[in-house]
Amino acid sequence: MFFASYQVLCLTLLVSRSVAQSWDSGNYSFSPPVYPSPHATGAGDWKAAFARADSFVSQLTLEEKAEMVTGTPGPCVGNIPPIPRLGFNGLCIQDGPLAIRQADYASVFPAGIAAAASWDRDLIRQRGVQMGEEFRGKGAHVVLGPVAGPLGRSALGGRNWEGFSPDPYLTGVAMEHTIKGIQSAGVQACAKHYIGNEQETQRVPSVGADNSTIEAYSSNIDDRAFHELYSWPFADSVRAGVASVMCSYNRLNQSYGCQNSKTLNGVLKTEFGFQGYVMSDWGATLSGVPAIEAGLDMNMPGGIAFTSATPSYFGANITIAVQNGTLSESRVDDMIRRVLTPYFYLNQDKGYPTVDPSSAGLNALFPQSNWVYHFDLNGTTNRDVRDDHAALIRELGSAAVVLLKNTNNALPLKKPQHIGVFGNDAGDLTNSLYFFIGNFGGQYEYGTQPVGGGSGTGRLSYVVPPLDAIKARARKDGALVQYILNNTMASTDLTTLWPPAQELDVCLVFLKTWATENFDRSSLEVDWDGNAVVENVANNCSNTVVISHSGGVNTLPFASHSNVTAILAAHYPGEESGNSIVDILYGDVNPSGKLPYTIAYNESDYNAPILNVTNPGPNDWQLNYTESLLIDYRYFDYNNKSVLYEFGYGLSYTNFSLSGLAVKKVSSGDLTALPPPVKVVPGGNPSLWEPVLKVSTKVSNTGAVKGATVPQLYLTFPATVPSGTPLRQLRGFEKVNLSPGESSSVQFLLTRRDISYWDVEAQQWRIPEGGLTLSVGFSSRDIKHTTTVRAL
Ligand SMILES: *[C@@H]1O[C@H](CO)[C@@H](O)[C@H](O)[C@H]1NC(C)=O
Ligand SMILES: *[C@@H]1O[C@H](CO)[C@@H](O)[C@H](O)[C@H]1NC(C)=O
Ligand SMILES: *[C@@H]1O[C@H](CO)[C@@H](O)[C@H](O)[C@H]1NC(C)=O
Ligand SMILES: *[C@@H]1O[C@H](CO)[C@@H](O)[C@H](O)[C@H]1NC(C)=O
Ligand SMILES: *[C@@H]1O[C@H](CO)[C@@H](O)[C@H](O)[C@H]1NC(C)=O
Ligand SMILES: *[C@@H]1O[C@H](CO)[C@@H](O)[C@H](O)[C@H]1NC(C)=O
Ligand SMILES: *[C@@H]1O[C@H](CO)[C@@H](O)[C@H](O)[C@H]1NC(C)=O
Ligand SMILES: *[C@@H]1O[C@H](CO)[C@@H](O)[C@H](O)[C@H]1NC(C)=O
Ligand SMILES: *[C@@H]1O[C@H](CO)[C@@H](O)[C@H](O)[C@H]1NC(C)=O
Ligand SMILES: *[C@@H]1O[C@H](CO)[C@@H](O)[C@H](O)[C@H]1NC(C)=O
Ligand SMILES: *[C@@H]1O[C@H](CO)[C@@H](O)[C@H](O)[C@H]1NC(C)=O
Ligand SMILES: *[C@@H]1O[C@H](CO)[C@@H](O)[C@H](O)[C@H]1NC(C)=O
């Protein structure tokens, strides 16, 4: 959600139609109708909570039922009003995926992309737990996160950093652990944005020159890519027990995300067996009864339901539609049971903290004067929920650093006495600690970049700038630190340095790249002409180390410069930024991050660009996923294109080896190509999740220092699968910490889904005939051992 776009959207709502869009599909891909909306049953382990939700629903009046599914102004980003008569205190829904944004005294965690770069299940899980604790402490029932859409189809996607990786397997694992972490703290997670929200440009309708509505872009995704890439991590989310799923602004096959019956009723609620509720993105509800029948369960931020001061397709429209026979009350009951089952399951009715009044004060969307319901703001204000979370933030910030280049053992630093620090990312923030900003600004020249902008940002209570941390560390060594933070000066004039650049022991160049909701990036280069800074420093300093804080892919034209001895991609590390990077630079922490995406040589090497239509007609924003399955490394591998740093790559200060590769069948009995028709549980057909193969290898630390690495397992399908199948796909990884000389065996369990492709004819996951090739290595292109096995 985004405040300003919500305002823009409200304007279009007033002028746009009130029925579901039905384009003449023409030659465009389109979503088939799937009705009626399947009612939840409390499947999985939600039975008892479902019964409590059911009994709650039976006590509600029709008006209260409408309130339960319609947002209203209140203290939080999204609010469901209290029903004091039933002891229900309402629901407080808050942004976002890396922090409770609308809050003070809260932590700002590393972004999703940083978490993914760690490839560390435990750290990702702990990040979820601690985020959950902070949301709970502030009285928020629902976290608007984690993010699996965008997945990262386009390297230029403006919100890619909020999510994890363009690899669905890695993203799926990160979704699972984040959701389980958040929900273990008693807080609901919301997997978003479902689905095909792969670019920001024209994500919502706009008004054309003749006042006609220009529809949002349509992600036109073929069935295989839909299953094998984009919906894969959402299936993992449902399997992990996610409370809610947020439908997206964009269209998918011509039909808007929040009224697409195929993706909501068909895939999410039938194929994946989702038992929770579908919540609209902010302002993404574009109809009432049609959206409800297509599977939407909650309209956010809704409206002022019964005073009509703000229109809402839900609210009183639901009451009227039930009364006039257009909408069945049983579907409304189903919506509420879906909303309340996770609430009871997580015991949110028992002593849950009330909303911190300071969150209400920070609410720009809903000033208190607009509230129509009474929310309890009698709790303690300005609660400090940060606890000792800075320790994990610092650790994960280090674990997210990918060491891309390290020649002449430039790193770790060995007590350098003369240090130069360059670049506008090194210093402290200069334009406030908050990047939400109604004007979508935030791309300030001076100051480090610990997070991106928009609803996925966090309000920093402090930040450790790299320069501060370097100074503190250097002081211990009695070292001299000089710095030029002005990029223009650093790229033209180093004459003020003494000792001069040529005599510095190390030159640390800090670069940044801004990314925010509502805008895609227009370039893959670092911002503020950072490349020129590197060029000038490296021309004068033979030990130049480049560090980037970025929301994703950057091209690195200086990578082959002989004086650029080390390059580190540090992503968006959150509030402990400086400490996280200093721990790596000085070797207190051995780098173990691996790229969760590919760094190519040139921007033009990437496929799947952002669609940007000039002078569009109403239906011209057609985002055709013509590359199908071939995104990121799948594309580069398939086309045999060389890249600078491949997916899964990352260096260490020690060396590792992989020995042995064994595969064992672990399925009970003979496998059939298609899964047996078993009753669907949350996540899908349970046999898809049964382990069928166990792959083992052994990893050893052959170097001189302690460190962690990530053995990776890739699958190659036999030639019997349809064409266009990627050459290699990630199907297992494990972070392993080893002392020098130490070895550890690593096991990867492959499920039926892992070794199947989506058969569009059968509409099932199919294990292909023929040999499956399994490869283990340290990246997608650093394969150490390979073997072939038949599963059938
Ligand atoms: C569909 O494509 C064919 C050519 O492939 C064209 O002749 C036809 O007019 C198109 N139909 C529509 C509705 O765009
Ligand atoms: C998308 O595909 C449709 C149908 O093939 C085609 O008519 C349209 O021109 C394509 N749009 C873009 C932007 O490529
Ligand atoms: C979208 O359209 C494509 C092409 O017609 C089709 O293969 C796919 O199944 C559709 N997906 C959904 C979710 O409607
Ligand atoms: C578009 O709508 C605005 C506001 O209603 C109006 O002032 C303007 O004349 C309209 N423009 C056209 C081209 O119809
Ligand atoms: C029904 O929805 C429409 C569209 O948002 C809105 O204009 C109208 O005020 C709503 N009616 C009620 C009674 O809420
Ligand atoms: C019933 O109410 C809904 C919601 O206000 C409205 O959209 C629909 O047109 C009404 N139908 C009839 C038959 O009155
Ligand atoms: C909170 O305080 C207000 C004002 O003092 C009071 O009216 C209200 O009853 C209190 N309790 C709750 C639950 O809001
Ligand atoms: C940055 O450096 C350039 C070139 O030396 C200079 O013109 C500019 O004023 C400096 N900017 C600031 C904010 O000092
Ligand atoms: C740094 O190198 C450039 C050549 O790339 C040169 O023009 C410049 O004078 C050098 N600066 C210093 C201070 O040595
Ligand atoms: C799309 O085009 C507009 C207008 O030409 C431009 O301002 C914008 O930067 C472009 N967006 C991207 C992501 O390239
Ligand atoms: C590397 O730095 C040294 C200064 O220490 C400089 O003399 C040399 O020209 C630089 N090399 C390149 C390729 O710029
Ligand atoms: C990158 O692009 C430039 C020109 O755009 C070209 O000269 C260069 O060869 C390309 N490099 C690679 C490795 O493709």
Side-chain angles (χ1 to χ4, degrees):
M1 98 84 166
F2 212 109
F3 181 27
S5 66
Y6 170 62
Q7 286 179 314
V8 170
L9 199 63
C10 280
L11 297 176
T12 64
L13 291 186
L14 293 168
V15 297
S16 67
R17 76 257 144 225
S18 62
V19 293
Q21 187 62 58
S22 61
W23 282 104
D24 171 7
S25 66
N27 287 348
Y28 298 130
S29 40
F30 100 116
S31 278
V34 180
Y35 296 99
S37 194
H39 288 193
T41 59
D45 62 349
W46 286 6
K47 272 273 177 307
F50 181 83
R52 296 187 62 202
D54 189 45
S55 127
F56 187 94
V57 170
S58 68
Q59 302 172 62
L60 296 174
T61 65
L62 185 56
E63 283 73 19
E64 286 167 342
K65 288 180 181 179
E67 290 174 8
M68 287 297 302
V69 293
T70 311
T72 184
C76 303
V77 161
N79 308 276
I80 293 296
I83 305 178
R85 181 174 71 80
L86 297 174
F88 177 67
N89 296 325
L91 292 178
C92 165
I93 301 171
Q94 294 281 37
D95 291 328
L98 61 66
I100 176 162
R101 176 177 64 75
Q102 196 175 281
D104 53 11
Y105 299 98
S107 303
V108 173
F109 290 83
I113 197 166
S118 78
W119 296 62
D120 189 319
R121 287 178 174 78
D122 292 338
L123 292 181
I124 293 172
R125 173 78 74 121
Q126 285 177 51
R127 172 179 176 269
V129 170
Q130 296 191 356
M131 278 180 49
E133 286 169 358
E134 297 203 9
F135 277 74
R136 185 184 173 97
K138 288 288 191 182
H141 300 86
V142 185
V143 175
L144 293 173
V147 171
L151 185 71
R153 170 183 183 261
S154 174
L156 291 162
R159 296 184 89 172
N160 289 0
W161 58 277
E162 294 187 42
F164 298 100
S165 162
D167 181 84
Y169 183 91
L170 178 54
T171 290
V173 170
M175 291 297 283
E176 175 196 341
H177 288 279
T178 306
I179 289 162
K180 286 182 173 164
I182 289 170
Q183 297 196 165
S184 74
V187 182
Q188 302 181 39
C190 174
K192 65 185 196 172
H193 308 84
Y194 185 77
I195 189 174
N197 194 166
E198 295 294 324
Q199 71 171 45
E200 291 299 282
T201 308
Q202 193 68 12
R203 66 178 185 171
V204 292
S206 58
V207 179
D210 62 353
N211 285 347
S212 63
T213 299
I214 311 292
E215 303 295 342
Y217 70 81
S218 174
S219 280
N220 301 323
I221 314 180
D222 70 85
D223 201 18
R224 265 194 84 188
F226 182 90
H227 278 88
E228 295 183 31
L229 295 180
Y230 300 99
S231 69
W232 174 292
F234 285 100
D236 289 324
S237 304
V238 174
R239 169 124 182 123
V242 75
S244 130
V245 170
M246 183 189 287
C247 51
S248 59
Y249 286 122
N250 59 285
R251 294 182 293 161
L252 183 288
N253 283 6
Q254 318 307 317
S255 174
Y256 275 98
C258 293
Q259 55 191 40
N260 185 320
S261 65
K262 170 66 180 173
T263 58
L264 300 178
N265 289 341
V267 178
L268 189 61
K269 291 185 176 178
T270 306
E271 193 182 318
F272 297 169
F274 179 54
Q275 299 293 311
Y277 57 103
V278 176
M279 179 200 304
S280 72
D281 203 338
W282 267 232
T285 303
L286 300 178
S287 65
V289 174
I292 289 170
E293 289 182 339
L296 178 63
D297 300 304
M298 182 187 279
N299 178 8
M300 278 293 156
I304 302 176
F306 295 101
T307 65
S308 295
T310 306
S312 168
Y313 288 109
F314 280 31
N317 273 315
I318 288 184
T319 326
I320 296 165
V322 168
Q323 279 161 349
N324 76 14
T326 310
L327 177 64
S328 81
E329 192 164 356
S330 71
R331 169 69 181 116
V332 180
D333 291 349
D334 169 58
M335 293 157 75
I336 302 165
R337 281 191 294 260
R338 286 177 173 277
V339 170
L340 285 178
T341 301
Y343 168 84
F344 286 120
Y345 179 76
L346 295 170
N347 293 311
Q348 292 189 329
D349 59 317
K350 299 198 176 87
Y352 207 82
T354 54
V355 177
D356 185 324
S358 65
S359 290
L362 286 165
N363 195 342
L365 184 55
F366 298 131
Q368 210 165 332
S369 54
N370 288 357
W371 300 1
V372 287
Y373 295 91
H374 175 79
F375 289 90
D376 180 356
L377 290 182
N378 293 345
T380 313
T381 195
N382 310 106
R383 285 172 229 156
D384 191 338
V385 292
R386 294 170 296 181
D387 204 336
D388 62 353
H389 298 167
L392 173 78
I393 293 168
R394 178 175 184 161
E395 185 183 355
L396 182 54
S398 296
V401 175
V402 184
L403 179 61
L404 297 169
K405 180 179 180 181
N406 191 20
T407 48
N408 312 326
N409 290 321
L411 296 180
L413 299 175
K414 294 144 198 92
K415 299 194 182 211
Q417 288 304 296
H418 293 133
I419 301 170
V421 176
F422 304 90
N424 62 0
D425 175 64
D428 205 348
L429 297 178
T430 51
N431 296 57
S432 101
L433 299 181
Y434 190 51
F435 292 93
F436 183 60
I437 334 279
N439 65 2
F440 304 108
Q443 197 195 11
Y444 306 125
E445 182 166 3
Y446 292 97
T448 196
Q449 195 67 61
V451 287
S455 64
T457 196
R459 176 176 287 276
L460 291 154
S461 65
Y462 73 93
V463 66
V464 180
L467 181 57
D468 290 22
I470 292 163
K471 284 186 194 171
R473 188 62 168 72
R475 203 172 296 132
K476 291 185 190 168
D477 301 333
L480 190 67
V481 181
Q482 304 181 68
Y483 40 94
I484 299 176
L485 307 185
N486 178 339
N487 277 12
T488 313
M489 188 173 181
S491 59
T492 51
D493 179 8
L494 306 176
T495 53
T496 53
L497 300 173
W498 191 262
Q502 289 80 0
E503 291 172 25
L504 296 177
D505 295 327
V506 63
C507 295
L508 303 170
V509 180
F510 284 88
L511 309 173
K512 62 177 177 177
T513 307
W514 167 246
T516 181
E517 178 176 6
N518 217 36
F519 289 95
D520 295 304
R521 292 166 60 192
S522 53
S523 161
L524 293 180
E525 293 192 354
V526 290
D527 293 343
W528 300 102
D529 213 0
N531 291 337
V533 176
V534 181
E535 201 60 33
N536 193 49
V537 172
N539 285 346
N540 296 286
C541 174
S542 60
N543 188 21
T544 300
V545 173
V546 181
I547 301 104
S548 66
H549 285 121
S550 170
V553 176
N554 285 118
T555 46
L556 306 170
F558 46 78
S560 59
H561 195 299
S562 55
N563 283 352
V564 173
T565 50
I567 305 175
L568 303 105
H571 301 107
Y572 287 159
E575 67 191 26
E576 285 284 319
S577 176
N579 288 333
S580 296
I581 193 67
V582 161
D583 286 346
I584 293 283
L585 292 173
Y586 279 80
D588 297 338
V589 174
N590 192 342
S592 62
K594 307 290 164 193
L595 281 181
Y597 50 77
T598 302
I599 297 181
Y601 286 102
N602 278 344
E603 182 165 334
S604 59
D605 291 341
Y606 289 90
N607 67 342
I610 300 295
L611 175 69
N612 205 353
V613 184
T614 40
N615 302 321
N619 195 28
D620 281 352
W621 287 86
Q622 298 294 329
L623 183 55
N624 299 327
Y625 289 39
T626 49
E627 76 292 341
S628 187
L629 297 166
L630 303 177
I631 64 170
D632 195 65
Y633 71 91
R634 290 163 165 80
Y635 165 75
F636 292 106
D637 287 351
Y638 194 86
N639 293 293
N640 198 20
K641 284 170 87 101
S642 52
V643 300
L644 182 56
Y645 300 118
E646 72 273 14
F647 176 85
Y649 169 86
L651 300 171
S652 165
Y653 298 152
T654 185
N655 296 314
F656 296 97
S657 70
L658 271 186
S659 59
L661 171 58
V663 187
K664 212 174 108 193
K665 292 192 186 184
V666 293
S667 49
S668 47
D670 286 341
L671 286 177
T672 51
L674 298 179
V678 193
K679 196 164 187 267
V680 165
V681 298
N685 182 327
S687 46
L688 292 174
W689 303 90
E690 272 169 23
V692 292
L693 296 175
K694 186 162 89 176
V695 182
S696 323
T697 184
K698 194 172 85 172
V699 58
S700 309
N701 183 342
T702 58
V705 291
K706 187 174 156 41
T709 191
V710 184
Q712 299 157 37
L713 174 70
Y714 292 87
L715 168 73
T716 302
F717 280 117
T720 54
V721 295
S723 64
T725 298
L727 297 192
R728 272 187 298 281
Q729 311 195 56
L730 183 72
R731 284 296 183 264
F733 65 88
E734 194 64 49
K735 189 135 198 182
V736 188
N737 231 306
L738 296 169
S739 298
E742 197 187 349
S743 297
S744 172
S745 74
V746 177
Q747 258 132 36
F748 306 105
L749 273 184
L750 290 162
T751 66
R752 171 183 275 278
R753 186 185 63 153
D754 289 335
I755 61 163
S756 300
Y757 69 96
W758 179 255
D759 181 334
V760 300
E761 302 297 326
Q763 289 291 296
Q764 297 267 23
W765 290 96
R766 179 185 291 278
I767 302 174
E769 297 288 341
L772 302 167
T773 302
L774 299 167
S775 309
V776 290
F778 290 119
S779 82
S780 59
R781 292 191 173 189
D782 182 15
I783 301 300
K784 300 296 187 192
H785 303 283
T786 289
T787 187
T788 299
V789 63
R790 284 173 169 275
L792 296 177

